[in-house]
Amino acid sequence: MNENAIIAQYGKKRVDIIKRRLAEFAVETPSWGYRRAGTRFGTYQAPGDPKTQEQKFAKAGQFLRRTGKSQTVALHFPWDAANMAEVAKLQKILKKNGLKAGAINANLFSMRPKGALGARVRFGSMTNPAADVRRASVAHNLECIKIMRRLGSKCFVLWLPDGTNSQGQMSMFDQADYLEQTAAETYRALRAGEQMLIEYKFFEPGFYSTAIPSWGRALQLCNALGPRARVLVDLGHLMREKKLGGFHFNDHKYADDDLATGSIDPAQLFRIFCVLVEGDMRGVMRIRDIGFMIDQSHMIKDPLDEMLESLENILIAYAKALLVDFAKLRDLQSRLRVSGADALLRDAFLTDVRPLLSSTGS
Amino acid sequence: MNENAIIAQYGKKRVDIIKRRLAEFAVETPSWGYRRAGTRFGTYQAPGDPKTQEQKFAKAGQFLRRTGKSQTVALHFPWDAANMAEVAKLQKILKKNGLKAGAINANLFSMRPKGALGARVRFGSMTNPAADVRRASVAHNLECIKIMRRLGSKCFVLWLPDGTNSQGQMSMFDQADYLEQTAAETYRALRAGEQMLIEYKFFEPGFYSTAIPSWGRALQLCNALGPRARVLVDLGHLMREKKLGGFHFNDHKYADDDLATGSIDPAQLFRIFCVLVEGDMRGVMRIRDIGFMIDQSHMIKDPLDEMLESLENILIAYAKALLVDFAKLRDLQSRLRVSGADALLRDAFLTDVRPLLSSTGS
Amino acid sequence: MNENAIIAQYGKKRVDIIKRRLAEFAVETPSWGYRRAGTRFGTYQAPGDPKTQEQKFAKAGQFLRRTGKSQTVALHFPWDAANMAEVAKLQKILKKNGLKAGAINANLFSMRPKGALGARVRFGSMTNPAADVRRASVAHNLECIKIMRRLGSKCFVLWLPDGTNSQGQMSMFDQADYLEQTAAETYRALRAGEQMLIEYKFFEPGFYSTAIPSWGRALQLCNALGPRARVLVDLGHLMREKKLGGFHFNDHKYADDDLATGSIDPAQLFRIFCVLVEGDMRGVMRIRDIGFMIDQSHMIKDPLDEMLESLENILIAYAKALLVDFAKLRDLQSRLRVSGADALLRDAFLTDVRPLLSSTGS
Amino acid sequence: MNENAIIAQYGKKRVDIIKRRLAEFAVETPSWGYRRAGTRFGTYQAPGDPKTQEQKFAKAGQFLRRTGKSQTVALHFPWDAANMAEVAKLQKILKKNGLKAGAINANLFSMRPKGALGARVRFGSMTNPAADVRRASVAHNLECIKIMRRLGSKCFVLWLPDGTNSQGQMSMFDQADYLEQTAAETYRALRAGEQMLIEYKFFEPGFYSTAIPSWGRALQLCNALGPRARVLVDLGHLMREKKLGGFHFNDHKYADDDLATGSIDPAQLFRIFCVLVEGDMRGVMRIRDIGFMIDQSHMIKDPLDEMLESLENILIAYAKALLVDFAKLRDLQSRLRVSGADALLRDAFLTDVRPLLSSTGS
């Protein structure tokens, strides 16, 4: 199991390229990922799980030192700081661990204002039929954009918990109108060089309908907003329109299980990277312009261990995709040689590329 | 929209039978259902939501007084009482509201023992590789059986939160061995007239595998245990072996959404009742020998309102199934008259049976 | 079960509106639907199934005479005519039965050219890596547009059988490029007043990937082509952009089962019509500007019977949606009265509206 | 990429065991798999596709000579022979190619008797409400058992195309009764040493319900029949009861796509073999007592090529599972070392085992 076997088959030049590309590759981890997660039935804690912000970011610092990857950490508000004083404290903790702020997520589902407003938040955030909740949601977004600048980040992530749990709860037409208004009010606060990534989710927390259920809807919204808005997650056609903003990495077996990346279906992760590498090589969109973030829950194993495992799975998939000779593949495709084309990809997938990773620090 | 239109089409005799059957029909509600539920992202509270046990069971009492249904309430431990002193208090609260204990659920996923044991519960309950957690789980079941007797119930429900979140976490062979051992230790504590209903769940909280993922596995287990064990949820073939123990009612649109019964797919609820009524009429299994329980989450609407809506949906589906002339249906089927058979069912489904409910108290 | 009960609850004015709207409502049936369909395992024929074109269109004529609906019949080429001589014959058969040509479908999956070209068609039609097959596909489309004009239709439907069955078979980037080129070549042949409806399909016949797998991709393509291109099938957001072109009606229980419309999930059909009616009432998009087509397989029951049943299910769903007072619904929604809003819809759904249909000819 | 790297990590002894086990491993291919398959939309032929029985079995002979595997070929009747004269001819063709008869499949979905019987076959075979079709179905099974003996096979496979396409088409109770009667009539014809494998299918060709939709139902039926009946396809719990009869290998991405084995999700194939190997090592059930059959469609690539690719994928998955030290795995599991247990499996999966296959003839 060593590098020479791979060089013998694929050549020294390609192996060198792969090692350089793996070294350049950056992926972000979320601060919440260093805490234990659970289901609606509850969360199990284990001895050694971080209890404080200091302990949580210390884990992120360990990850950075062990892998050389993930200097930027995705942050979520109000989870990571509920006010500007806490932001200042957070800044110090980041610095102490050699970390930087990555994507800034406005956790609109965590808003629990007091009084009459609080009694209405269960009906939605940016698309709530009540105008005061919509205003409060936009205000929270604008606050997060301020935090983003204070922490030196350029990336604002919008994931909407809005949806409905019953027929009749809300009109799809009103929902779409409110969404475009409040998204535009948020978008207008962004400056040149800053971007807004828009995530979609088929269901949950809404179980009857979801405000942004598909990449098609997210793309519609990005087009309505302007060039600083991009879709978070998904591949292929999006790349063609330069609208692919980023990837949230995780794996699943049933619904949205948020399991460790590549732990269930490593061949799918390889296929995704094949599209990314092919798109990059054709000049459709550079891999370095796409934001890659691990976004998974850690319920049973140690969170740090599972984060390390996920990074390795990502780098393995990327390295295997880099083994593919896409010029040769395209030639086979154009000559309708399907078995040959498939064999090229299978060969790359079956190759044990771990020797190429050992020298990249992971 | 009155009873006479239905009598004109289906006859007075059938309408009288339907009204009597609806009046006899019993369905249980769970005590937790009167509290607000949420997702892994959090739970929203609304003004007026019950905060104490007294308030929660007062809602169940209101349900009983408004519908004449659901005198028995499904209870979950340790949620509803953490020790025998609390059980005594619970008994008084039930009595005060005119309620009785229904199914007794051992919430093994809520166990959080102190110390070393506590650090191991995330690896499972009755199938935990650690023998001490398996013993503690059986002890909790036996405690629940004691509570069951104290409260005058005859029905113990087993739903196992056990499963795995990663390949290699546990051997399927060990898991099956442990399950059969601990289930047998629990089963042996039951006396004549008492029963154990075994629930299955395809996934969640385990996202890699689940200890009892299907009715086939639950039936295997019941067969291994003995005649007091029956399967909870599912129809048709199970009835033929007299192994159908009960139904948990709810609806879903994506995964296990636990929406209000009949709110998404009322036609499916009707089809289920058609099998139950047909089985009852053929003497396969009596409807009165099957336990019916509402088991749904209330996230946005008022829990009591949604419980009432669900009961109405259940009674509507049952009444429509009772409209079907199954002898005539069987005759059509045997003569390969598929369109006619379908029309008989469609006609029953399309009939507005609400006038028949108004006189049953709901 | 008569009209008066509905008038008593909803008022004479609304009932009159509903009856007028049902009378105006047009839905198209496909000529192939009058023949028996099957699965990849084979097709069963029944006595009385049409064997000739004359017999097939005679069934469509019967449908028209019995319902007063569906004067236009969706046609598929080369199935319905393989050359212009056959088109002339088809025209006579249509006329004889009082029928008109509806949507014109270019069945690219039926092309089986002779020789070298024929050996390549399994790799795709409009996105085939081989340029000669792409040219032949566009030529077939242009031929269909000629047929469309000859038969007096204005509607060309594009459903692409293209996809892949193996990784590596084709580059997503090439596939997208070819699709946009050949679709544009087809689109340019259309004149003012003519339209092109673009259908999508998640999988099948391609089982690894499909060229147009989602409404998002179909909408991208329509936007790239121009205002005469619209999406076939799907609702809500599409309506907002006036890009909803039409609906293919059928039902399913597992995958793309093509069962009779409304036979499995009538509540879903009702919810779809609620969105259509609400959109129409708000002036988003007129129902009369949307093409409605039944597109289902008839495997066991008699095709004509099942077509009649489907029409009835569609009219029932539409009538129930028309019972809803959307102004009142919107008011309840804006005041966060979710249970009330839901009750308004449930009430309409549970009402037996069949008396309103009897006078519309169906 | 050579054997030494694997020996260095896993030891010579284990590598020798793996090579011996791979050499012993037998897998069957179906005769129909050497012909081109399609979808309900049609089938594409390619130059060189076999047109005659001779050509088809010559391909199976090529497969045997190139791999040393798959001397037995699964046969389907009436596809492979419509009467005893054709069986005699088939016997000669098998012999000429060095092949033997494998599993004998009674293709009940292909029965198309003349006259009144023929008009009823679309309503089912062994569960048809019409007694004459049920009798004809059993007669076909008994004929296939005769053919089985004539061709020297011991294995009869039952896959039922029976199901319904509409509510009301058939009572689940009648369907179950008929199934158990006709299956018993078939089963009674079997002698010692012969077995009946029962397959299940969730849907298709029935799209409303299927007579044997799950392993649970198939197991119920096997238990009702006796020890010569075993379940075809599925793992784990079935093995514990020695009721696992065989595996049909293929892969899928959406529904029942029948793609090349291991082409979409090779990690799942590996997980299946891990359970098989673990069960074998614990003495639960021997791998050699399980029938393994490739059962996949070849639509685009050359059928022989795709069959070879599938065999390689199967052997790779088996070899990787054999790399796992299950004693060590069990020890880690019992000490709750989930990350370590997972790592053991990941390590085996990531190892490139192809050098171990080259010496086994494939």
Side-chain angles (χ1 to χ4, degrees):
Chain A
M1 222 72 62
N2 60 42
E3 205 175 299
N4 291 335
I6 305 172
I7 291 174
Q9 190 179 350
Y10 287 93
K12 177 99 174 61
K13 197 176 149 192
R14 181 173 295 266
V15 164
D16 286 343
I17 290 172
I18 293 173
K19 289 163 75 174
R20 197 183 63 239
R21 297 288 295 254
L22 293 183
E24 288 167 6
F25 186 77
V27 64
E28 201 163 296
T29 57
S31 66
W32 64 262
Y34 294 99
R35 302 200 87 149
R36 185 84 42 183
T39 69
R40 56 183 168 142
F41 299 112
T43 298
Y44 293 105
Q45 295 300 329
D49 284 350
K51 288 187 177 57
T52 64
Q53 288 286 81
E54 281 80 1
Q55 290 168 348
K56 190 174 73 173
F57 285 96
K59 293 272 180 185
Q62 280 181 45
F63 186 91
L64 174 60
R65 282 189 302 282
R66 286 176 61 176
T67 66
K69 299 285 181 198
S70 197
Q71 191 181 22
T72 59
V73 177
L75 302 172
H76 300 70
F77 300 91
W79 285 353
D80 278 316
N83 53 51
M84 280 298 170
E86 289 187 17
V87 169
K89 194 184 151 202
L90 172 64
Q91 202 165 13
K92 281 179 196 158
I93 296 175
L94 287 170
K95 194 174 176 187
K96 185 183 160 194
N97 287 287
L99 301 166
K100 293 184 176 172
I104 302 298
N105 297 263
N107 281 15
L108 292 161
F109 57 87
S110 305
M111 291 202 315
R112 291 289 185 281
K114 303 275 182 200
L117 204 59
R120 285 196 283 273
V121 292
R122 75 180 189 282
F123 299 98
S125 63
M126 289 168 66
T127 73
N128 197 304
D132 56 355
V133 184
R134 295 200 301 276
R135 276 194 301 271
S137 303
V138 172
H140 180 63
N141 290 343
L142 300 182
E143 179 80 3
C144 284
I145 290 173
K146 264 192 217 160
I147 296 173
M148 177 183 84
R149 285 173 193 147
R150 171 80 72 89
L151 295 175
S153 167
K154 298 279 189 191
C155 177
F156 176 79
V157 171
L158 189 66
W159 173 61
L160 223 51
D162 291 45
T164 66
N165 267 37
S166 162
Q167 66 178 355
Q169 183 177 334
M170 196 168 183
S171 156
M172 291 174 76
F173 301 100
D174 287 334
Q175 189 180 53
D177 288 343
Y178 294 150
L179 174 58
E180 299 200 358
Q181 288 157 16
T182 52
E185 284 166 36
T186 304
Y187 182 85
R188 280 195 292 271
L190 295 175
R191 300 174 188 159
E194 295 174 345
Q195 65 177 339
M196 181 169 171
L197 300 188
I198 297 178
E199 201 173 344
Y200 56 85
K201 197 166 191 298
F202 190 37
F203 68 97
E204 196 202 24
F207 290 110
Y208 179 78
S209 72
T210 301
I212 312 180
S214 63
W215 71 260
R217 180 67 187 119
L219 179 60
Q220 270 187 319
L221 184 58
C222 288
N223 287 338
L225 291 173
R228 287 170 199 161
R230 289 185 171 193
V231 179
L232 183 59
V233 182
D234 238 307
L235 66 155
H237 303 301
L238 289 179
M239 286 180 80
R240 290 179 77 241
E241 309 206 357
K242 321 274 183 199
K243 284 288 184 188
L244 175 57
F247 262 89
H248 269 185
F249 283 124
N250 52 46
D251 210 336
H252 77 110
K253 214 176 157 199
Y254 303 98
D256 187 20
D257 313 338
D258 287 340
L259 299 177
T261 311
S263 67
I264 298 296
D265 193 349
Q268 184 181 59
L269 192 62
F270 165 70
R271 291 191 295 259
I272 289 171
F273 270 102
C274 282
V275 175
L276 294 174
V277 170
E278 188 187 13
D280 182 292
M281 288 188 174
R282 288 185 182 218
V284 178
M285 195 168 178
R286 293 281 151 208
I287 283 180
R288 76 170 62 104
D289 294 336
I290 302 169
F292 295 99
M293 309 167 201
I294 291 175
D295 191 62
Q296 65 198 23
S297 291
H298 307 109
M299 288 176 270
I300 303 297
K301 295 187 202 165
D302 180 78
L304 180 58
D305 286 352
E306 209 157 8
M307 208 79 102
L308 290 167
E309 175 195 322
S310 297
L311 175 63
E312 193 177 280
N313 285 345
I314 291 166
L315 294 176
I316 285 172
Y318 187 21
K320 288 179 174 185
L322 288 165
L323 281 182
V324 178
D325 182 337
F326 282 96
K328 191 174 169 189
L329 180 67
R330 198 178 193 184
D331 175 64
L332 287 164
Q333 289 168 339
S334 70
R335 292 187 293 120
L336 306 172
R337 295 288 177 271
V338 179
S339 289
D342 186 17
L344 210 66
L345 293 170
R346 285 178 70 232
D347 192 45
F349 180 72
L350 289 168
T351 299
D352 188 348
V353 296
R354 287 176 295 172
L356 305 186
L357 271 68
S358 53
S359 46
T360 66
S362 78
Chain B
M1 220 71 61
N2 60 44
E3 206 174 298
N4 292 334
I6 305 173
I7 291 174
Q9 190 179 351
Y10 288 94
K12 176 98 175 58
K13 197 175 147 194
R14 181 173 295 268
V15 163
D16 286 342
I17 291 171
I18 293 173
K19 287 163 76 174
R20 197 182 65 238
R21 297 286 297 253
L22 293 183
E24 286 166 7
F25 186 78
V27 64
E28 201 163 298
T29 57
S31 65
W32 65 262
Y34 295 100
R35 302 200 84 150
R36 185 82 44 182
T39 68
R40 57 182 168 141
F41 300 113
T43 298
Y44 293 105
Q45 296 300 330
D49 285 349
K51 288 187 177 56
T52 64
Q53 289 286 82
E54 281 80 0
Q55 290 168 350
K56 191 174 71 173
F57 285 96
K59 292 273 182 184
Q62 280 181 44
F63 185 91
L64 174 60
R65 283 190 301 281
R66 286 177 61 175
T67 67
K69 300 283 182 198
S70 200
Q71 191 181 22
T72 58
V73 177
L75 302 172
H76 299 71
F77 300 92
W79 284 353
D80 277 316
N83 53 52
M84 281 296 170
E86 289 187 19
V87 170
K89 195 183 150 202
L90 171 63
Q91 204 166 11
K92 284 181 196 156
I93 295 176
L94 286 171
K95 195 173 174 187
K96 186 182 158 195
N97 288 286
L99 302 167
K100 293 183 178 172
I104 302 298
N105 297 266
N107 280 15
L108 292 160
F109 57 87
S110 304
M111 291 202 313
R112 291 288 185 283
K114 301 275 179 200
L117 204 61
R120 286 197 282 273
V121 291
R122 76 181 188 280
F123 300 99
S125 64
M126 289 168 67
T127 73
N128 198 302
D132 55 356
V133 183
R134 295 201 300 276
R135 276 193 302 270
S137 302
V138 172
H140 180 63
N141 289 344
L142 299 181
E143 179 79 3
C144 285
I145 289 174
K146 265 192 219 162
I147 295 172
M148 177 182 85
R149 288 176 193 145
R150 172 80 72 89
L151 295 176
S153 168
K154 299 279 189 190
C155 176
F156 176 78
V157 171
L158 188 67
W159 173 61
L160 222 53
D162 292 45
T164 65
N165 266 39
S166 161
Q167 66 176 358
Q169 182 177 336
M170 196 167 184
S171 158
M172 291 174 76
F173 301 100
D174 286 335
Q175 189 180 53
D177 288 342
Y178 295 150
L179 174 58
E180 299 199 358
Q181 289 157 16
T182 52
E185 284 165 37
T186 304
Y187 181 85
R188 280 196 292 271
L190 294 176
R191 300 174 190 159
E194 294 174 348
Q195 65 176 340
M196 180 169 170
L197 301 188
I198 297 178
E199 201 172 343
Y200 57 84
K201 196 166 192 296
F202 190 39
F203 68 97
E204 196 200 28
F207 291 110
Y208 179 77
S209 73
T210 301
I212 311 182
S214 62
W215 70 261
R217 181 66 188 120
L219 179 59
Q220 269 187 319
L221 185 57
C222 288
N223 287 339
L225 292 174
R228 287 171 199 159
R230 291 187 169 190
V231 177
L232 184 59
V233 182
D234 237 306
L235 65 155
H237 303 301
L238 288 178
M239 286 179 82
R240 290 179 78 240
E241 310 206 356
K242 322 275 183 200
K243 285 287 185 190
L244 175 58
F247 262 89
H248 271 185
F249 283 126
N250 53 46
D251 210 335
H252 77 109
K253 213 176 156 197
Y254 303 97
D256 187 21
D257 312 339
D258 286 340
L259 300 177
T261 311
S263 67
I264 298 297
D265 192 350
Q268 184 181 60
L269 193 61
F270 166 71
R271 291 191 296 259
I272 288 171
F273 270 102
C274 284
V275 176
L276 294 173
V277 171
E278 188 187 11
D280 182 290
M281 290 189 172
R282 288 184 180 217
V284 177
M285 196 169 178
R286 294 280 151 209
I287 283 180
R288 75 169 64 104
D289 294 336
I290 301 169
F292 295 100
M293 309 166 202
I294 291 175
D295 192 61
Q296 66 198 20
S297 291
H298 307 110
M299 288 176 269
I300 302 299
K301 295 187 203 165
D302 180 76
L304 181 58
D305 286 351
E306 210 156 9
M307 209 79 100
L308 290 167
E309 175 195 323
S310 297
L311 175 63
E312 192 178 281
N313 286 345
I314 291 166
L315 294 176
I316 286 172
Y318 188 21
K320 288 179 175 186
L322 287 165
L323 280 182
V324 177
D325 182 337
F326 282 96
K328 190 172 170 190
L329 180 66
R330 199 177 191 185
D331 175 64
L332 288 164
Q333 289 168 338
S334 68
R335 292 188 293 118
L336 306 173
R337 295 288 177 270
V338 179
S339 288
D342 187 16
L344 210 67
L345 294 170
R346 285 179 69 232
D347 191 44
F349 180 73
L350 289 168
T351 300
D352 188 347
V353 296
R354 287 176 295 172
L356 305 186
L357 272 67
S358 51
S359 46
T360 68
S362 79
Chain C
M1 221 73 60
N2 60 44
E3 207 174 299
N4 292 335
I6 305 173
I7 291 174
Q9 190 179 352
Y10 287 94
K12 176 97 174 63
K13 194 175 150 195
R14 182 174 294 267
V15 164
D16 286 342
I17 290 172
I18 293 173
K19 288 164 75 175
R20 197 182 64 237
R21 296 288 295 253
L22 293 183
E24 288 167 6
F25 186 76
V27 65
E28 198 161 299
T29 57
S31 65
W32 64 262
Y34 294 98
R35 303 200 85 150
R36 184 89 35 187
T39 68
R40 55 181 169 143
F41 299 114
T43 298
Y44 293 105
Q45 295 299 331
D49 285 350
K51 288 185 178 57
T52 64
Q53 288 286 81
E54 281 79 2
Q55 290 168 348
K56 191 173 73 174
F57 286 96
K59 294 272 181 185
Q62 280 180 44
F63 186 91
L64 174 60
R65 283 191 301 281
R66 286 177 61 176
T67 66
K69 300 283 182 198
S70 199
Q71 191 181 21
T72 59
V73 177
L75 302 172
H76 299 70
F77 300 92
W79 285 352
D80 278 317
N83 52 53
M84 280 297 170
E86 290 187 16
V87 169
K89 195 184 149 201
L90 172 63
Q91 203 165 12
K92 283 178 196 158
I93 295 175
L94 287 170
K95 195 173 176 188
K96 185 182 159 193
N97 288 287
L99 302 167
K100 292 184 178 173
I104 302 297
N105 297 263
N107 280 17
L108 292 161
F109 56 88
S110 305
M111 290 201 316
R112 291 288 184 284
K114 301 275 179 198
L117 204 62
R120 285 197 282 272
V121 291
R122 74 181 190 280
F123 300 99
S125 63
M126 289 168 65
T127 73
N128 197 304
D132 56 356
V133 184
R134 295 201 300 276
R135 276 193 302 269
S137 303
V138 172
H140 180 63
N141 290 344
L142 300 182
E143 179 79 4
C144 285
I145 290 174
K146 264 192 218 161
I147 295 173
M148 177 182 85
R149 286 174 195 148
R150 172 80 71 90
L151 295 176
S153 167
K154 299 279 189 192
C155 177
F156 176 79
V157 171
L158 189 66
W159 173 61
L160 221 52
D162 292 45
T164 65
N165 267 38
S166 161
Q167 67 176 355
Q169 183 177 334
M170 195 168 184
S171 158
M172 291 174 75
F173 300 101
D174 286 335
Q175 188 180 55
D177 287 343
Y178 295 150
L179 174 58
E180 299 199 357
Q181 288 157 15
T182 52
E185 284 165 37
T186 304
Y187 182 85
R188 280 195 292 269
L190 295 175
R191 301 175 188 158
E194 295 173 345
Q195 65 177 340
M196 181 170 169
L197 301 188
I198 297 177
E199 200 173 345
Y200 57 85
K201 195 165 193 296
F202 189 36
F203 68 97
E204 196 201 24
F207 291 110
Y208 178 78
S209 73
T210 300
I212 311 181
S214 63
W215 71 259
R217 181 65 187 118
L219 179 59
Q220 269 187 319
L221 185 59
C222 288
N223 287 338
L225 291 174
R228 287 170 200 161
R230 290 185 170 193
V231 179
L232 183 60
V233 181
D234 240 305
L235 67 157
H237 303 300
L238 289 179
M239 285 179 81
R240 291 180 76 240
E241 308 205 357
K242 321 273 184 202
K243 284 288 184 189
L244 175 57
F247 263 89
H248 270 185
F249 284 125
N250 53 45
D251 209 335
H252 77 112
K253 212 175 158 200
Y254 303 97
D256 187 20
D257 312 339
D258 286 339
L259 300 176
T261 311
S263 67
I264 298 297
D265 193 350
Q268 184 181 61
L269 193 61
F270 166 71
R271 292 191 294 259
I272 288 171
F273 270 102
C274 283
V275 175
L276 294 174
V277 171
E278 187 186 12
D280 181 291
M281 289 188 172
R282 287 184 181 219
V284 178
M285 195 168 178
R286 293 281 151 207
I287 283 181
R288 76 169 63 104
D289 295 336
I290 301 169
F292 295 99
M293 309 166 202
I294 291 176
D295 191 61
Q296 65 198 23
S297 290
H298 307 111
M299 287 175 271
I300 303 298
K301 295 187 203 165
D302 179 77
L304 180 58
D305 286 352
E306 210 156 10
M307 209 80 101
L308 291 166
E309 175 195 322
S310 298
L311 175 63
E312 192 178 281
N313 286 345
I314 291 166
L315 294 176
I316 285 172
Y318 187 21
K320 288 179 174 185
L322 287 165
L323 281 182
V324 177
D325 182 337
F326 283 96
K328 190 172 170 192
L329 180 67
R330 198 177 192 184
D331 175 63
L332 288 164
Q333 289 168 338
S334 70
R335 292 187 294 118
L336 306 173
R337 296 288 177 270
V338 179
S339 288
D342 187 17
L344 209 66
L345 293 169
R346 285 179 70 232
D347 192 44
F349 180 72
L350 289 168
T351 299
D352 188 347
V353 296
R354 286 175 296 172
L356 305 186
L357 270 68
S358 52
S359 46
T360 67
S362 79
Chain D
M1 221 72 61
N2 59 43
E3 205 174 299
N4 293 334
I6 305 173
I7 291 174
Q9 191 179 350
Y10 288 93
K12 177 98 174 62
K13 197 176 148 193
R14 180 173 296 269
V15 163
D16 286 342
I17 290 171
I18 293 173
K19 288 164 75 176
R20 198 182 62 238
R21 297 287 296 252
L22 293 183
E24 287 166 8
F25 185 77
V27 64
E28 201 163 297
T29 56
S31 65
W32 65 260
Y34 295 99
R35 301 200 87 149
R36 185 88 36 187
T39 69
R40 57 182 167 142
F41 300 114
T43 298
Y44 293 105
Q45 296 299 331
D49 284 349
K51 289 187 177 57
T52 64
Q53 288 287 80
E54 282 79 1
Q55 290 168 349
K56 190 173 72 172
F57 285 96
K59 292 274 181 184
Q62 279 181 46
F63 186 91
L64 174 60
R65 283 190 301 282
R66 286 177 62 175
T67 66
K69 301 282 182 200
S70 198
Q71 192 182 16
T72 60
V73 177
L75 302 172
H76 299 71
F77 301 91
W79 284 354
D80 277 317
N83 53 52
M84 281 296 168
E86 289 187 19
V87 169
K89 194 185 151 200
L90 172 63
Q91 203 165 14
K92 283 180 197 156
I93 296 175
L94 287 170
K95 195 173 176 188
K96 186 182 158 193
N97 287 288
L99 302 167
K100 292 183 178 172
I104 302 298
N105 298 264
N107 280 15
L108 292 160
F109 57 86
S110 304
M111 290 201 315
R112 290 288 184 284
K114 300 276 179 198
L117 205 62
R120 287 197 280 274
V121 293
R122 74 182 189 279
F123 300 99
S125 64
M126 290 168 66
T127 73
N128 197 304
D132 57 355
V133 183
R134 294 202 299 277
R135 276 193 302 270
S137 303
V138 172
H140 180 63
N141 289 345
L142 299 182
E143 179 80 3
C144 284
I145 290 174
K146 265 191 219 161
I147 295 174
M148 176 182 86
R149 286 173 193 147
R150 173 80 72 88
L151 295 176
S153 168
K154 300 279 189 190
C155 176
F156 176 78
V157 171
L158 189 66
W159 172 62
L160 223 52
D162 292 45
T164 66
N165 267 37
S166 162
Q167 66 177 358
Q169 183 177 336
M170 196 167 183
S171 158
M172 291 173 76
F173 300 100
D174 286 334
Q175 189 180 54
D177 287 343
Y178 295 149
L179 176 58
E180 299 200 358
Q181 289 157 15
T182 52
E185 284 165 37
T186 305
Y187 182 85
R188 280 196 292 270
L190 295 175
R191 300 174 188 158
E194 294 174 347
Q195 65 176 339
M196 181 168 168
L197 301 187
I198 297 177
E199 201 172 344
Y200 56 85
K201 196 164 191 299
F202 190 38
F203 69 97
E204 197 202 26
F207 291 111
Y208 179 78
S209 73
T210 300
I212 312 181
S214 63
W215 70 261
R217 180 68 187 117
L219 180 58
Q220 268 187 321
L221 185 58
C222 288
N223 287 338
L225 292 174
R228 288 171 199 160
R230 291 186 168 191
V231 179
L232 183 59
V233 181
D234 240 306
L235 66 155
H237 303 301
L238 290 178
M239 285 179 83
R240 290 180 77 240
E241 310 205 356
K242 321 276 185 200
K243 285 287 185 190
L244 176 57
F247 262 89
H248 270 185
F249 284 125
N250 54 45
D251 209 336
H252 78 110
K253 213 176 158 199
Y254 303 96
D256 187 21
D257 313 338
D258 287 339
L259 300 176
T261 311
S263 67
I264 298 297
D265 192 350
Q268 184 181 60
L269 193 61
F270 166 71
R271 291 191 295 258
I272 288 171
F273 270 101
C274 283
V275 175
L276 294 173
V277 171
E278 188 187 13
D280 182 291
M281 289 189 173
R282 288 184 180 218
V284 177
M285 194 168 180
R286 293 282 151 208
I287 283 181
R288 75 169 64 104
D289 295 335
I290 301 169
F292 295 100
M293 308 166 204
I294 290 175
D295 192 61
Q296 65 196 22
S297 291
H298 307 111
M299 288 176 270
I300 303 300
K301 295 186 203 166
D302 180 78
L304 181 58
D305 286 351
E306 210 156 10
M307 209 79 102
L308 290 167
E309 174 195 323
S310 297
L311 175 63
E312 192 178 281
N313 286 344
I314 291 166
L315 295 176
I316 286 171
Y318 188 22
K320 288 179 175 185
L322 288 164
L323 281 182
V324 177
D325 183 337
F326 282 97
K328 190 173 170 191
L329 180 66
R330 199 177 191 186
D331 175 64
L332 288 163
Q333 288 168 339
S334 69
R335 292 189 291 118
L336 305 173
R337 295 289 177 271
V338 179
S339 288
D342 187 17
L344 209 67
L345 293 170
R346 285 179 70 232
D347 192 45
F349 180 73
L350 289 168
T351 300
D352 188 346
V353 296
R354 287 175 295 172
L356 306 185
L357 271 68
S358 51
S359 45
T360 68
S362 79

